[in-house]
């Protein structure tokens, strides 16, 4: 039986709220009695990894946060972690660093054995089969687009139906539909800011107050908040 416990948040903030403020009500109960976590800041590009780690520590004073970049052996840090937290930023840089440091299988094995994983934005993106449905620019080329595959489908964090007036570029839905044309057997779940996906053992739920969207081949359906999505596993 699967022991995976994975919390995948769409974003680090909701509106003008403080960093992670809206998500603490999800993060702290998820961690339960865990008091320390390894933070992976590799998605950070314009912010130093030290500063990024400090920012997360400030937002989560209840947990002792250690940046993985401060360890001589990042694999050993993952092996000894009580929990793994992966922040947002640029998904391509995040995946590049994880692949370059040989951490993909290490993280997967720890999560498979029950180590809690929390990600937001890019940190959620990599939980899917690949990063092909990220919103980010490919500022660096990873070894491949294949990600952690903690879920057997794709995720699109920060999903939005909004299209600025006068903007003639493709909408988010149209971009995802392009993926579905070329990958008709792989669903894509869009999660809006303030919401997330919770995988707890063998149960998957859309959490938060907002609905989500699922794209499957040529079909698109709304997902009601707090819907169970275990059938996608």
């Amino acid at each position: 039986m699967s022991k995976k416990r994975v919390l995948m948040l769409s974003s680090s903030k909701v509106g003008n709220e403080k960093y992670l403020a809206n998500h603490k009500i999800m993060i702290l109960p998820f961690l339960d009695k865990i008091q320390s976590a390894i933070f992976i800041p590799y998605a950070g590009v314009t912010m130093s990894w030290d500063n990024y780690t400090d920012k997360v520590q400030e937002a989560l004073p209840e947990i002792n946060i250690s940046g993985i970049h401060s360890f001589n052996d990042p694999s050993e840090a993952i092996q000894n972690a009580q929990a793994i937290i992966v922040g947002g930023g640029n998904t391509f840089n995040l995946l590049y660093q994880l692949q370059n440091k040989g951490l993909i299988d290490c993280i997967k094995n720890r999560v498979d054995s029950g180590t809690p994983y929390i990600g937001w934005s890019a940190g959620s993106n990599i939980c899917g089969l690949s990063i092909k449905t990220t919103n980010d620019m490919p500022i660096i080329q990873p070894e491949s687009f294949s990600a952690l595959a903690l879920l057997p489908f794709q995720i699109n964090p920060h999903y939005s139906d909004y299209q600025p007036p006068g903007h003639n570029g493709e909408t988010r839905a149209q971009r995802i539909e392009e993926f579905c044309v070329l990958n008709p057997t792989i669903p894509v779940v869009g999660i809006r800011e303030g919401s997330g996906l919770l995988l707890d053992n063998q149960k998957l739920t859309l959490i938060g107050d907002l609905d989500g969207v699922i794209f499957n081949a040529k079909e698109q359906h709304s997902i009601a908040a707090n819907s169970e999505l275990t059938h996608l596993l």
Side-chain angles (χ1 to χ4, degrees):
M1 179 178 291
S2 173
K3 298 179 180 179
K4 292 178 187 175
R5 297 190 65 244
V6 185
L7 177 61
M8 296 152 279
L9 302 168
S10 178
S11 59
S12 60
K13 295 176 60 177
V14 180
N16 295 320
E17 293 185 358
K18 290 184 178 180
Y19 191 72
L20 293 177
N22 184 72
H23 298 312
K24 285 183 68 171
I25 59 173
M26 303 177 188
I27 292 173
L28 295 181
F30 176 79
L31 290 175
D32 195 17
K33 298 179 181 179
I34 289 175
Q35 298 180 334
S36 68
I38 291 296
F39 176 63
I40 299 179
Y42 297 153
V45 178
T46 58
M47 178 186 296
S48 75
W49 293 344
D50 281 340
N51 288 345
Y52 197 172
T53 302
D54 290 344
K55 184 176 183 179
V56 174
Q57 179 66 87
E58 183 179 348
L60 299 173
E62 299 86 353
I63 308 297
N64 180 29
I65 304 293
S66 300
I68 194 171
H69 62 290
S70 65
F71 292 83
N72 291 328
D73 187 344
S75 295
E76 184 178 356
I78 293 295
Q79 291 292 347
N80 295 325
Q82 292 187 31
I84 301 167
I85 301 177
V86 185
N90 186 276
T91 308
F92 290 92
N93 198 56
L94 170 59
L95 187 60
Y96 172 86
Q97 296 291 342
L98 292 176
Q99 292 175 343
N100 187 53
K101 300 177 191 304
L103 296 177
I104 294 292
D105 288 340
C106 183
I107 293 173
K108 288 178 65 173
N109 291 338
R110 291 290 286 148
V111 176
D112 285 343
S113 67
T115 301
Y117 176 106
I118 299 172
W120 53 85
S121 190
S124 295
N125 233 319
I126 60 170
C127 292
L129 291 173
S130 78
I131 64 167
K132 293 179 182 178
T133 50
T134 177
N135 306 315
D136 301 336
M137 286 187 177
I139 61 173
I140 193 169
Q141 183 170 329
E143 182 181 299
S144 76
F145 293 149
S146 297
L148 294 175
L150 303 179
L151 298 173
F153 55 84
Q154 296 286 127
I155 303 175
N156 179 248
H158 302 284
Y159 181 81
S160 175
D161 301 307
Y162 178 72
Q163 184 174 20
H167 178 70
N168 295 309
E170 286 81 359
T171 64
R172 186 71 52 79
Q174 287 172 324
R175 287 301 191 196
I176 295 175
E177 286 167 3
E178 292 174 341
F179 171 87
C180 291
V181 168
L182 299 181
N183 304 271
T185 63
I186 303 176
V188 182
V189 176
I191 49 177
R192 302 179 193 276
E193 294 188 351
S195 65
L197 296 172
L198 174 62
L199 176 61
D200 193 352
N201 295 317
Q202 293 182 307
K203 182 179 180 181
L204 180 67
T205 309
L206 175 68
I207 58 175
D209 298 327
L210 301 176
D211 64 348
V213 182
I214 182 168
F215 297 80
N216 204 338
K218 296 182 179 180
E219 298 182 351
Q220 174 183 338
H221 301 287
S222 179
I223 310 167
N226 300 307
S227 292
E228 184 175 337
L229 303 172
T230 307
H231 64 280
L232 294 176
L233 299 178

